[in-house]
Every structure is written in structure tokens, then in C-alpha cells.
Amino acid sequence: MLGQGRGAGSGAAADARSRRGARGYAGPVTTGKPPTSHDVARLAGVSQSTVSLVFRGAARGRVAPGTQQAVLDAARRLGFRPNADARRLRVGGPRMVLIAVPDIVNPFFARVFTGARGAAREAGFQVVLSVQRDLASVAADVAGQRVDAVLACSLDDGGRPLDDSVPAVVLDAEPPAGMGAVRFDIAPALTEVVDHLHRLGHRDILHLRADVDTSTFRERAAAVDAACAARGMRRARAAASVDRDAARDTARAALARERAAGHPVTAVVCDDDILAVGAYKAAQAEGLAIPGDLSVTGVDNVDLAQALTPELTTVDLPGETLGEMGMRRLLAAVDGADTQPTEVVRLPARLLIRGSTAPPPRRSAG
Amino acid sequence: MLGQGRGAGSGAAADARSRRGARGYAGPVTTGKPPTSHDVARLAGVSQSTVSLVFRGAARGRVAPGTQQAVLDAARRLGFRPNADARRLRVGGPRMVLIAVPDIVNPFFARVFTGARGAAREAGFQVVLSVQRDLASVAADVAGQRVDAVLACSLDDGGRPLDDSVPAVVLDAEPPAGMGAVRFDIAPALTEVVDHLHRLGHRDILHLRADVDTSTFRERAAAVDAACAARGMRRARAAASVDRDAARDTARAALARERAAGHPVTAVVCDDDILAVGAYKAAQAEGLAIPGDLSVTGVDNVDLAQALTPELTTVDLPGETLGEMGMRRLLAAVDGADTQPTEVVRLPARLLIRGSTAPPPRRSAG
DNA sequence: CTGAAAGCGCTAACAT
DNA sequence: ATGTTAGCGCTTTCAG
């Protein structure tokens, strides 16, 4: 029982690569590093390959029951657990892709996830989700290299993108240089929204913005502004976090403000369906009927949109398709030994006109 | 350019361990398996260790710029990507824990996730999420051994639990034999709910159940039934999937049914806050005031509960604490080289009385 | 500045 | 039924 390798406490550089280095509890039999199958073999008095057989469950009929028990006992005493990295180095295993989203509860991301997961499974990849605000954090998560590919949805361009070593595709966001992306062609859709309202006769609208600084929302704002300007419409603005109650309060304040300023808005263009729900609540609180007194539009077409009364006029963002297409491109890059996918494709988003928009009420002043 | 190893199409057992076996695109330079750093070295005319230096970014000042470029070029031509498994076998890396939940959009799981993630990060673990309906599916996901531990929340006991090789703890569910768990002490809380209603004077209640067959919901049902029986209360039942609209429809039908049967209910006990929201909607649709005509209770105390008017009387389930405690136990088991954690702890759940419960309306018959 | 050589912990023939 | 022997692809001294 001698010959334990280097002296335990003396190593200066010894614990640089400690996996269990800093633990307070070193296990039943104290040894500097986690026990290996060799240690188990030695303790059980068998060869290492026997240990391997036992732990792979391939021992049936090849290792005597008594021996198996001895191996198991020795393993237990040492607290042995097979090293999964070593195992995979030999035998390989299913590959894994990570989907990163900024928020778990938003149903839009659930849809993207569903689409992406389907495509990944079809290709035999495992899928896990990471909830992270920006790309940089995802990069940190991936640094350990346990995933083979990354699909990042709606994460803002946080400076340095991902480690170059793992293929990645960005969804619904500006891709860092050299990365591919699948995104929505959102500007035309918002132009259409404004145009729709304009044709109905609206001239004073409120743009209820999402208080999130990502490119998709910047594009939405730019499109709304440009469309209003081009049509000579007055456009008020307010920003709220993507939360029904916050949106309600913000919208309510903005409605009151504009009314007090002498040019009440007749329509609210919301960056998002959740914000639109807030706008509904605000209208209700202000005693405004939708769409009689106030028209409301959203973006996303989440299930909710049709659960509202009246149903919400909104821009359909095909989240599942987004996830699915992004995943396909990503997986192609994983196997095609090529560089990162680098092209950017845009998915069409189209306006669904429903009951929440109608001509504005007749104005006393005009 | 000969010497391509075994004949391409002939291998019977050849692709048993194919990592890129079934791909249609074999990369710029066709070789049976993915290129290694040796291949790159050969093509670049350098030694393998030089390639290693370059790819680790440790080449600064140790490898001539021209050589580096040559290595990079060769790698590109071969479509070389360092093998992460091999790398980790040598250097180790951060460990990863998987949190499995049945549903992404339910805010309760978001809270559990938050709590668990905090604890994991503190301990230097990466965290990923897996959305899966039952434990068996999680096991499949984990078979590839890329995670070091599993925290499974509210997943039903789907027969065989997890592969024994990875430590796991179950949250809010019946743990399979030999596994540890952290769960809520939910029965007393629901007894308290019923008792609260009973004291207010309610005698006819509806239990709006979640249409999910997991132990926590079975326990809730048993507690409600027992409490009602003990107090001589009439208890109607209806089950809906955990979705606001489904709950609304189900609740509405049940309310009408009981009214038609001659014993209208004066209170609805919901298995979940989301169901309770449905009950609010149903009451509204039926023209019943809450709490004047109908009292409503929930379980979970999600943020929503206080956003409703009147605020929802509900059972507070401390999801964050659940996640945090579960994670701590789990991580202790990962490092303590011991066996699976096996004990089961129960977290208290307490009733929060708010505005949605009040004495029943005076009955004409009774 | 670059190369040779020795492993990391495990699996899988191939011997006994 | 068990042991021996080669590696998997990479990192990392240690010599040139």
C-alpha cells in the first residue's frame, strides 16, 4: 500500500488541474485525486479490465459473481465513479446542442425551442437549454466544451461572440461578424402595421416599445418611425419591460399624457403581444373600448393573441420555423467540417388582421 | 492520396461507433473519420505538439508566425476541430448539472430554476435545462454522460429512474427507490385551505384539479377529499390541463353543472394559480363576483397571484428554496464520493389569505 | 522555436 | 473467467 505517487501536500502546481481539488471531503479512502478504475482493480485484487467490464454491465457470464461483488465493494469504498470524458473519448456518444434564450417564460421562446428541438432530435442530437442574457455569458457556459454546437436566440451581441471552436448560429439577432443567423424580416411587417392603421384613418398613434436593447427591437422602432413619418402621422412613444402589468401602467400613463397634450392617440402599436395585453388592460382602465375607441396591435402571434377579446391584430412571427431552420443550418455546419455558417437568412413575418383594429372614433377636433 | 483505410462501403461493424458516420458530407479532404491534430500536423509538415500549441492559443512567441499560419491553413483544409472529449480528459473543466422540468412557460419552474441555478453557480457548476415530461426521457438524455448531475423537478416517476452512474435528486415528486428528494409538505396546506373555507361558512366547493398525474397532485386531491369529508362538506370535482383558457372552460362547465344539480358551489379550490386564473375568468363569464359570490384559492403563489383583483388566496410554494436546497444536496453528493443521496426532505407550504376568499353569499335554500 | 515521448482513464481486442 | 496490451486525441514536460 505504498507508492501513492507524488507526496500529497507538496505539489505546487499539483492542484492546478484539480477536478475535486477544493473539496472538503476527500472520500472514504483519502487520495489526492478521484479514484480510477485502476485503484478499484488494485483494491479488489483484479485487473483493470475486469473493473471496466463490471461497470459497463458487460460482466454477465464473463466475470464470476463473487468477483463482481468484490469490484463493486471496492468501488463503493473508494467512491469510484467512471470518468465519463475518458469513456466518451473511446466510444463517442450522442452529440449535444445548446439552445440559449434570454427568458424561460415567454411563450415565443418556447416555440422557438420546440422547433429547434424537433430538428435536433431528428438528427440524433441531445438538446439542452441555457437561460442567459447575452452571448458572452453563453460563451462562458460553453467554454467547458461540453456542447458541440450552440443556437443562440434573441441574445444581444455582447461584444466577443463565442469561442470560435464551437459552431454557432444566431436566431432573431444581429450575428457577430462571421456568424450565421436566421432572423425575421420584421421591418416590412411593421410598416404594414402602420399602413394598415393609416388606411383605417388613424393619424395619432402610440408606439409601445419593449424596453430591451436588441437589434430586432431597434429595427421595429426604425420601421415604425419611418412609416409614420412617410405618412405624416403623429407618433408618440413609451417603453416598458416585457411584462403585462408594467406595460399596462406605462401604456396608461402614455395615453393620459397624450390626451392631456391635446392629441389623444387612437391606436397603440406594440412591440410584442405581451405588451399588447398590457395595452388592453390600460384601455380597460381608461374606459376605452377596443377597437371602438382604441385600436391595438402586437407582434409575435402567441397563443394568447387569439384568446383576447377582441382577438389581437398582430404580426405572426413563425417561431417554430425559426428554431427549426436555425437548427438545420447549425447541424449542417457541425458535420460539414467547414467553417462557421456565415450567411444570414430572413424569414417573412406577416400581418394578421383581427378584431382589435378598426377606424378611429370620430374626433371632435380634427 | 491513397491509403484511405478500410473500403468505404463495405464495413459491417465499421460504423458502429460512427461519430460522423452517417453524414453525407465528408469534409474537404475525404478520410473515414474526423481529422485529428496528427493529420493536421502531417499536412502542415510540423509536429503534432505544434498543432496543439497553435490551437490552444499558446503559440504566442513559441511558434513562428509562418508556421502558425501553415497549421491554420492545414486545419481549415481538413476541417479539423479539436476533440473536446480528449481535451477534457487531460485538463478537466467545469462540471455541468442538468435541471429537468416538464414545462418551460410555467413560472413556478422558472423560480425553481432560478434557485437551483444560483446554488450551482456558486459551486462553480454550469447549468443547463432540459424540458422533458418524465424521468425516463431524462435518463435517455443523460445516457451520453455529458452532465455530472441531474436535478429533476416535478417529473413523474416513469418506471426506471436514471442510470445509476450520475447522481440525481428529485424535486417535488416521488423519488424512485434509492433516490433523494426535496418536496413540499403539501397535504397540510390544502387541509388548511379547506378549513379556511369551512370556517368562512362554505359547504359546497369545487376542486378544480390539474389534469396531471403526478404525486404532488395526487396528494393535493387526497388532502382536499379528506378535509372535506371530515368536515361534512360537499366536494365536486373537475380536471383541466394547466392552462388558463382550458381551466376557464372546465370551471365554467362545472359551475353550471353544480348549479343545475341544485347545489351551487360557493368556492373553488384550484390545484394551481394558473387554474385559479381560469376560475376567475369563469366567474366573470358567469356573472359571479369574487369573492362575493364565489371564493377562489390557488396553489403556488406565482407573481400573477397578486396581480389579480382581488388578490388570490393561495398556498405559497417556495420554489426558489426548493431549487436551491435540492441543488445543494445534489452537489454534495457529486463531490462526496458517496452513493446517491437518498433522504427525502419536506419543505413547508403555507396558506396566504388574501382577497379572493370571503364568506359565501346567503343562500335561498340551505 | 520545434519535436519526441509519456501519459490522462477508459474500452476492446486478444491472450491466457 | 480473467489478464495483457494497445490505443482514443489531446496536453505537457523535456530535449534539441
Side-chain angles (χ1 to χ4, degrees), chain B residues 50-182:
Chain B
T50 302
V51 176
S52 178
L53 282 179
V54 170
F55 270 84
R56 279 160 43 222
R60 235 18 253 274
R62 322 194 355 62
V63 176
T67 310
Q68 293 193 39
Q69 205 38 253
V71 168
L72 259 15
D73 291 346
R76 174 136 311 165
R77 284 188 42 202
L78 292 174
F80 167 76
R81 207 123 55 197
N83 179 322
D85 291 324
R87 165 170 235 281
R88 262 207 323 288
L89 174 57
R90 284 294 292 167
V91 303
R95 285 173 296 178
M96 189 160 95
V97 33
L98 189 161
I99 303 179
V101 299
D103 176 17
I104 347 183
V105 291
N106 190 317
F108 173 71
F109 297 123
R111 268 165 40 180
V112 174
F113 177 71
T114 302
R117 179 165 74 169
R121 289 214 167 137
E122 210 168 80
F125 278 71
Q126 289 179 180
V127 181
V128 291
L129 197 69
S130 172
V131 181
Q132 224 90 49
R133 202 151 293 297
D134 52 48
L135 264 185
S137 317
V138 176
D141 239 37
V142 167
Q145 298 289 304
R146 308 189 88 132
V147 302
D148 302 293
V150 175
L151 193 61
C153 184
S154 309
L155 300 186
D156 215 5
D157 2 66
R160 258 309 283 128
L162 292 163
D163 189 309
D164 212 28
S165 65
V166 39
V169 163
V170 149
L171 256 31
D172 182 38
E174 191 73 52
M179 260 170 80
V182 181

Side-chain angles (χ1 to χ4, degrees), chain A residues 148-160:
Chain A
D148 301 293
V150 174
L151 193 62
C153 184
S154 310
L155 299 186
D156 217 5
D157 2 67
R160 258 310 282 127

